[in-house]
Amino acid sequence: MQPRIRLTREAIAALYGRPLLDLVFEAAAVHRAHHDPAEVQCSQLLSIKTGACPEDCAYCPQSARYDAAVEREELMSVERVLAAARSARRNGADRFCMGAAWREVKDGPEFQRVLEMVRGVKALGLETCVTLGMLQPHQAGALKEAGLDYYNHNLDTSPEFYGEIITTRTYEDRLKTLDAVRAAGIHVCCGGILGMGESREDRIGLLYELARQDPQPESVPINALVAVKGTPLEDQPPLPWDEMLRAVAVARILIPQAKIRLSAGRTTMSDEAQALCFLAGANSIFLGDKLLTTPNPGLDHDGALLQRLGLRAEHGERAVRGGAIPV
Ligand code: SAM
Ligand code: DTB
Ligand code: SF4
């Protein structure tokens, strides 16, 4: 189902600029019409191959071109990945997401190992997600066959600002990968990053590009930049909480069926700001104290926050009870 609002940049700009509490109120109504507002989908991330990436994404500590303090690590063994997935399940996660610092997937033994990881995680009863860079149609087919539920590939920002952040692959390349994912019948997880020095107009442009995909993505991560020392964006000032809130609310209104994921950047958001984002339609988070290479709030903090707000993990039946996260 498409949203009721016209999908033009002008209409989205008008929505984005509404008085903040009116915008949140409307987004909350859309949220409650399409989702159980007490549930938050919980995923856990693992970096299965870390650092030494040839790409030049200005935000990324894993690019070989910058000198962020990230330990390089070759592709992990299947056993180590499955041990991490079991621990994610104990933590209350129902989806396990594996990320590789690759420009693109290459056919061969390493890809075969990733397929093995997907099969193994799926066999644990968890949903599976990977983010591996650019992907060709036959590789998407192989991932689907192995049991992949979601592929994460972000647009990151507006088409206009994109060239300021990445020069080693185009917006068009990203859309092509997303087409291959969709054509293989894998759910699309596609979002972006705020706080990279882009204008509000760029944030509106990103939301427009996300919402006009047909079909719309099933999962939309809204990341706040984690400004990592050694990357070109290390000195970016933190994103104001109300810009994050506006973007979440507009994403919820424009993409009503999707999970809107409050992704990177939660360690610098207050509990109050996160609560407002949940009210405005965010309904997915990453659990645990680490994202790929940067910190995340951790189970005790998130457990207490969800408890306070009366929220619980979605698909709690898949998770093991008795942990910090209410299920
Ligand atoms: N290499 C693959 C790719 O770029 O498609 C997969 C891994 S990459 C780390 C996945 C996503 O993480 C990026 O598209 C970006 O949106 C997000 N990301 C990376 N570094 C970030 C940071 N410092 N702050 C916020 N989001 C970040
Ligand atoms: C996404 O949009 N956010 C997640 C996931 N996709 C892979 C990752 C954010 C990474 C933040 C930087 C890091 O931890 O290295
Ligand atoms: Fe490489 Fe992905 Fe980081 Fe870009 S975002 S440098 S492609 S790991």
Side-chain angles (χ1 to χ4, degrees):
M1 197 195 90
Q2 298 291 320
R4 279 167 300 176
I5 170 177
R6 255 181 332 120
L7 279 183
T8 62
R9 273 199 175 209
E10 294 68 33
I12 298 172
L15 184 65
Y16 198 107
R18 283 183 56 185
L20 184 57
L21 297 185
D22 289 353
L23 174 60
V24 170
F25 187 78
E26 183 171 336
V30 172
H31 185 48
R32 277 149 201 266
H34 292 88
H35 302 267
D36 179 342
E39 287 190 342
V40 176
Q41 188 274 326
C42 295
S43 300
Q44 195 162 312
L45 268 170
L46 177 69
S47 181
I48 58 171
K49 186 266 163 182
T50 309
C53 182
E55 301 287 274
D56 70 352
C57 313
Y59 49 75
C60 188
Q62 301 201 67
S63 167
R65 299 168 192 242
Y66 318 129
D67 57 352
V70 165
E71 286 286 336
R72 296 175 173 201
E73 207 181 318
E74 294 298 314
L75 186 65
M76 273 185 190
S77 68
V78 175
E79 296 71 52
R80 263 185 83 192
V81 171
L82 295 185
R86 281 188 209 99
S87 144
R89 192 175 56 173
R90 279 196 298 277
N91 290 345
D94 65 74
R95 187 179 307 161
F96 191 65
C97 307
M98 295 161 272
W102 285 336
R103 165 182 165 77
E104 66 208 319
V105 172
K106 295 200 177 91
D107 295 324
E110 294 211 322
F111 183 47
Q112 294 304 318
R113 204 193 299 174
V114 172
L115 295 175
E116 200 53 45
M117 293 172 191
V118 171
R119 281 190 280 268
V121 172
K122 188 76 179 170
L124 294 174
L126 289 163
E127 287 188 325
T128 53
C129 173
V130 295
T131 179
L132 312 170
M134 292 186 286
L135 195 64
Q136 292 170 38
H138 71 279
Q139 299 164 332
L143 285 164
K144 171 71 184 175
E145 210 173 298
L148 188 70
D149 296 304
Y150 287 81
Y151 194 88
N152 167 244
H153 200 63
N154 292 336
L155 291 178
D156 279 352
T157 188
S158 69
E160 295 79 14
F161 192 66
Y162 184 85
E164 306 282 318
I165 301 295
I166 301 140
T167 69
T168 48
R169 72 172 78 160
T170 64
Y171 219 73
E172 202 44 50
D173 289 332
R174 290 188 184 251
L175 293 168
K176 249 195 240 156
T177 290
L178 293 168
D179 282 346
V181 170
R182 225 171 250 127
I186 299 167
H187 294 131
V188 169
C189 173
C190 181
I193 309 177
L194 311 183
M196 300 190 293
E198 75 285 347
S199 64
R200 185 178 273 195
E201 193 50 48
D202 290 313
R203 291 174 198 143
I204 290 161
L206 168 67
L207 290 161
Y208 170 67
E209 296 297 335
L210 292 173
R212 78 192 185 102
Q213 295 180 45
D214 185 16
Q216 294 189 319
E218 282 83 8
S219 166
V220 177
I222 310 280
N223 298 280
L225 173 74
V226 181
V228 181
K229 212 166 156 15
T231 64
L233 298 184
E234 64 180 2
D235 291 327
Q236 278 301 319
L239 180 76
W241 63 270
D242 48 321
E243 276 300 307
M244 186 71 174
L245 180 58
R246 279 184 193 278
V248 165
V250 171
R252 169 49 71 221
I253 294 168
L254 297 182
I255 317 178
Q257 317 271 20
K259 288 286 189 314
I260 305 293
R261 318 175 57 83
L262 213 47
S263 301
R266 287 197 303 118
T267 50
T268 48
M269 284 176 81
S270 68
D271 285 355
E272 294 88 332
Q274 292 186 61
L276 281 166
C277 288
F278 291 129
L279 178 64
N283 58 350
S284 172
I285 56 171
F286 288 115
L287 295 183
D289 48 21
K290 204 167 162 200
L291 293 165
L292 292 172
T293 66
T294 64
N296 195 49
L299 291 178
D300 290 343
H301 189 103
D302 281 340
L305 176 60
L306 295 184
Q307 196 89 55
R308 249 176 133 179
L309 299 177
L311 299 175
R312 60 173 186 273
E314 192 192 30
H315 299 309
E317 74 281 359
R318 288 207 196 119
V320 179
R321 282 167 194 277
I325 301 294
V327 294

